[in-house]
Amino acid sequence: EPDETVIAKLDSPTNATLGDAQATGTIQDDDSPPTISAHDASVKEGTGGANTILHMPVTLSAASGIPVTVHYAVTAGSATAGDDFTPVSGTLTFAPGDTSQNVDVQIDPDSVNEPNETVVLTLDSPTNATIADSKATGTINDDGAAPSGGSADVSVEAGTGSTDTIMHPPGKLSG
Protein backbone atom coordinates (compact mmCIF):
# COMPACT_ATOMS: atom_id res chain seq x y z
CA GLU A 1 0.00 0.00 0.00
CA PRO A 2 1.16 3.60 -0.27
CA ASP A 3 2.65 5.50 2.66
CA GLU A 4 -0.08 6.82 4.94
CA THR A 5 -0.25 10.01 7.00
CA VAL A 6 -1.91 11.08 10.21
CA ILE A 7 -2.45 14.66 11.30
CA ALA A 8 -2.40 15.75 14.94
CA LYS A 9 -4.18 19.05 15.72
CA LEU A 10 -3.88 20.91 19.01
CA ASP A 11 -6.37 23.47 20.25
CA SER A 12 -7.64 25.17 23.43
CA PRO A 13 -4.39 25.36 25.37
CA THR A 14 -4.49 26.22 29.10
CA ASN A 15 -1.82 28.57 30.45
CA ALA A 16 0.04 28.43 27.11
CA THR A 17 -0.10 29.63 23.53
CA LEU A 18 0.13 27.47 20.46
CA GLY A 19 3.09 28.11 18.18
CA ASP A 20 2.32 25.33 15.69
CA ALA A 21 -1.06 23.72 16.19
CA GLN A 22 -0.69 20.93 13.64
CA ALA A 23 1.80 18.12 12.99
CA THR A 24 1.87 15.42 10.29
CA GLY A 25 3.15 11.89 10.89
CA THR A 26 3.95 9.47 8.06
CA ILE A 27 3.50 5.70 8.26
CA GLN A 28 5.96 4.36 5.71
CA ASP A 29 4.96 1.19 3.88
CA ASP A 30 7.52 -1.56 4.39
CA ASP A 31 5.59 -4.44 2.81
CA SER A 32 7.11 -6.17 -0.21
CA PRO A 33 5.13 -5.73 -3.42
CA PRO A 34 3.18 -8.75 -4.70
CA THR A 35 4.57 -10.92 -7.47
CA ILE A 36 2.89 -11.53 -10.83
CA SER A 37 2.78 -14.94 -12.53
CA ALA A 38 1.58 -16.12 -15.94
CA HIS A 39 -0.05 -19.59 -16.03
CA ASP A 40 -0.36 -22.26 -18.73
CA ALA A 41 -3.81 -22.93 -20.19
CA SER A 42 -5.40 -25.02 -22.94
CA VAL A 43 -8.53 -25.06 -25.06
CA LYS A 44 -10.05 -27.23 -27.80
CA GLU A 45 -9.54 -25.65 -31.19
CA GLY A 46 -13.10 -25.99 -32.45
CA THR A 47 -14.24 -26.87 -35.95
CA GLY A 48 -17.34 -24.75 -36.39
CA GLY A 49 -17.77 -21.19 -37.57
CA ALA A 50 -17.51 -19.60 -34.12
CA ASN A 51 -14.10 -18.64 -32.77
CA THR A 52 -12.86 -20.12 -29.51
CA ILE A 53 -11.30 -18.06 -26.72
CA LEU A 54 -8.21 -19.27 -24.83
CA HIS A 55 -8.24 -17.73 -21.32
CA MET A 56 -4.65 -17.45 -20.03
CA PRO A 57 -4.58 -16.63 -16.26
CA VAL A 58 -2.28 -14.02 -14.76
CA THR A 59 -2.24 -13.84 -10.95
CA LEU A 60 -0.86 -11.76 -8.08
CA SER A 61 0.69 -13.53 -5.09
CA ALA A 62 -1.32 -11.27 -2.75
CA ALA A 63 -3.88 -8.52 -3.03
CA SER A 64 -2.43 -5.03 -3.25
CA GLY A 65 -3.81 -1.83 -1.78
CA ILE A 66 -2.79 0.10 -4.92
CA PRO A 67 -3.34 -0.64 -8.63
CA VAL A 68 -0.87 -3.07 -10.23
CA THR A 69 -0.22 -3.13 -13.97
CA VAL A 70 1.77 -5.40 -16.27
CA HIS A 71 2.31 -5.40 -20.03
CA TYR A 72 1.57 -8.63 -21.93
CA ALA A 73 2.01 -10.04 -25.43
CA VAL A 74 0.83 -13.32 -26.94
CA THR A 75 2.96 -14.59 -29.82
CA ALA A 76 3.37 -17.76 -31.86
CA GLY A 77 4.84 -20.91 -30.40
CA SER A 78 4.09 -23.68 -32.89
CA ALA A 79 0.76 -22.07 -33.92
CA THR A 80 0.68 -19.69 -36.86
CA ALA A 81 -0.31 -16.10 -36.10
CA GLY A 82 -3.23 -14.93 -38.23
CA ASP A 83 -4.12 -18.51 -39.22
CA ASP A 84 -4.45 -20.40 -35.92
CA PHE A 85 -4.85 -17.45 -33.52
CA THR A 86 -4.96 -13.67 -33.36
CA PRO A 87 -1.90 -12.16 -31.61
CA VAL A 88 -2.73 -9.75 -28.77
CA SER A 89 -0.83 -7.34 -26.54
CA GLY A 90 -1.73 -4.70 -24.01
CA THR A 91 -1.71 -3.90 -20.31
CA LEU A 92 -3.52 -5.73 -17.53
CA THR A 93 -4.62 -3.64 -14.54
CA PHE A 94 -5.31 -5.22 -11.16
CA ALA A 95 -7.54 -2.95 -9.07
CA PRO A 96 -6.81 -2.85 -5.32
CA GLY A 97 -7.90 -6.20 -3.90
CA ASP A 98 -7.90 -8.09 -7.23
CA THR A 99 -5.58 -11.09 -7.57
CA SER A 100 -6.53 -12.63 -10.93
CA GLN A 101 -6.98 -11.49 -14.52
CA ASN A 102 -7.13 -13.31 -17.87
CA VAL A 103 -5.43 -12.59 -21.15
CA ASP A 104 -7.96 -13.70 -23.78
CA VAL A 105 -6.66 -15.07 -27.09
CA GLN A 106 -8.94 -15.63 -30.08
CA ILE A 107 -8.40 -19.11 -31.57
CA ASP A 108 -9.40 -19.55 -35.21
CA PRO A 109 -11.11 -22.94 -35.67
CA ASP A 110 -10.54 -25.35 -38.51
CA SER A 111 -11.36 -28.97 -39.31
CA VAL A 112 -7.81 -29.90 -40.34
CA ASN A 113 -6.30 -32.87 -38.53
CA GLU A 114 -3.03 -31.51 -37.15
CA PRO A 115 -0.85 -31.72 -34.04
CA ASN A 116 -1.70 -29.63 -30.99
CA GLU A 117 -0.27 -26.12 -31.36
CA THR A 118 1.01 -23.54 -28.88
CA VAL A 119 1.09 -19.81 -28.24
CA VAL A 120 3.35 -18.01 -25.75
CA LEU A 121 2.23 -15.38 -23.21
CA THR A 122 5.01 -13.04 -22.07
CA LEU A 123 4.76 -10.48 -19.23
CA ASP A 124 7.01 -7.45 -18.71
CA SER A 125 7.16 -3.88 -17.32
CA PRO A 126 5.19 -4.28 -14.08
CA THR A 127 4.25 -1.37 -11.84
CA ASN A 128 3.76 -1.82 -8.08
CA ALA A 129 4.75 -5.51 -8.34
CA THR A 130 7.55 -7.78 -9.48
CA ILE A 131 7.38 -10.67 -11.94
CA ALA A 132 7.79 -14.20 -10.57
CA ASP A 133 6.93 -16.11 -13.79
CA SER A 134 7.01 -14.09 -17.01
CA LYS A 135 6.06 -16.81 -19.53
CA ALA A 136 3.23 -19.28 -20.00
CA THR A 137 2.22 -21.66 -22.77
CA GLY A 138 -1.27 -21.81 -24.23
CA THR A 139 -2.06 -25.12 -25.92
CA ILE A 140 -4.58 -25.34 -28.74
CA ASN A 141 -5.80 -28.94 -28.60
CA ASP A 142 -6.69 -30.17 -32.07
CA ASP A 143 -10.12 -31.68 -32.51
CA GLY A 144 -10.09 -32.02 -36.31
CA ALA A 145 -11.20 -35.36 -37.69
CA ALA A 146 -8.49 -37.90 -38.40
CA PRO A 147 -8.34 -39.07 -42.01
CA SER A 148 -10.24 -42.27 -42.65
CA GLY A 149 -8.82 -45.09 -44.70
CA GLY A 150 -10.73 -47.34 -47.02
CA SER A 151 -10.09 -50.57 -48.81
CA ALA A 152 -12.01 -52.89 -51.04
CA ASP A 153 -12.05 -56.65 -51.32
CA VAL A 154 -9.76 -57.89 -54.04
CA SER A 155 -9.44 -61.27 -55.63
CA VAL A 156 -6.68 -62.52 -57.85
CA GLU A 157 -6.06 -65.72 -59.66
CA ALA A 158 -2.99 -67.62 -58.69
CA GLY A 159 -0.12 -67.37 -61.11
CA THR A 160 1.01 -70.30 -63.15
CA GLY A 161 4.49 -71.32 -63.84
CA SER A 162 7.44 -69.30 -62.61
CA THR A 163 5.84 -65.84 -62.59
CA ASP A 164 4.75 -64.17 -59.37
CA THR A 165 1.33 -62.69 -58.95
CA ILE A 166 1.15 -59.36 -57.10
CA MET A 167 -2.05 -58.16 -55.59
CA HIS A 168 -2.56 -54.38 -55.27
CA PRO A 169 -5.65 -53.65 -53.19
CA PRO A 170 -7.19 -50.29 -53.96
CA GLY A 171 -7.23 -47.89 -51.06
CA LYS A 172 -7.41 -44.22 -50.39
CA LEU A 173 -7.36 -41.71 -47.56
CA SER A 174 -9.91 -39.00 -47.24
CA GLY A 175 -9.53 -35.75 -45.35
Side-chain angles (χ1 to χ4, degrees):
E1 60 191 3
D3 291 347
E4 299 168 311
T5 58
V6 292
I7 298 174
K9 292 183 180 182
L10 304 174
D11 62 21
S12 305
T14 303
N15 299 323
T17 58
L18 294 174
D20 188 0
Q22 182 172 310
T24 301
T26 301
I27 304 167
Q28 294 178 333
D29 180 42
D30 63 354
D31 297 325
S32 298
T35 60
I36 301 173
S37 297
H39 299 277
D40 295 344
S42 65
V43 69
K44 285 190 177 190
E45 179 177 43
T47 57
N51 290 325
T52 301
I53 302 297
L54 170 64
H55 303 286
M56 299 193 72
V58 177
T59 60
L60 290 180
S61 61
S64 178
I66 54 178
V68 171
T69 64
V70 66
H71 179 264
Y72 67 87
V74 177
T75 57
S78 61
T80 302
D83 186 34
D84 297 314
F85 75 103
T86 301
V88 293
S89 64
T91 300
L92 286 178
T93 300
F94 293 84
D98 288 349
T99 58
S100 183
Q101 296 278 339
N102 283 326
V103 172
D104 292 337
V105 184
Q106 179 179 303
I107 305 302
D108 301 326
D110 63 41
S111 58
V112 175
N113 183 36
E114 58 195 351
N116 293 343
E117 297 166 313
T118 60
V119 297
V120 178
L121 168 62
T122 304
L123 304 177
D124 62 40
S125 305
T127 58
N128 301 319
T130 59
I131 295 179
D133 190 353
S134 66
K135 290 193 183 283
T137 300
T139 303
I140 305 166
N141 293 313
D142 181 60
D143 59 356
S148 59
S151 64
D153 292 334
V154 174
S155 64
V156 102
E157 290 185 28
T160 59
S162 63
T163 61
D164 292 330
T165 302
I166 300 173
M167 179 172 67
H168 296 279
K172 66 178 182 176
L173 291 177
S174 66

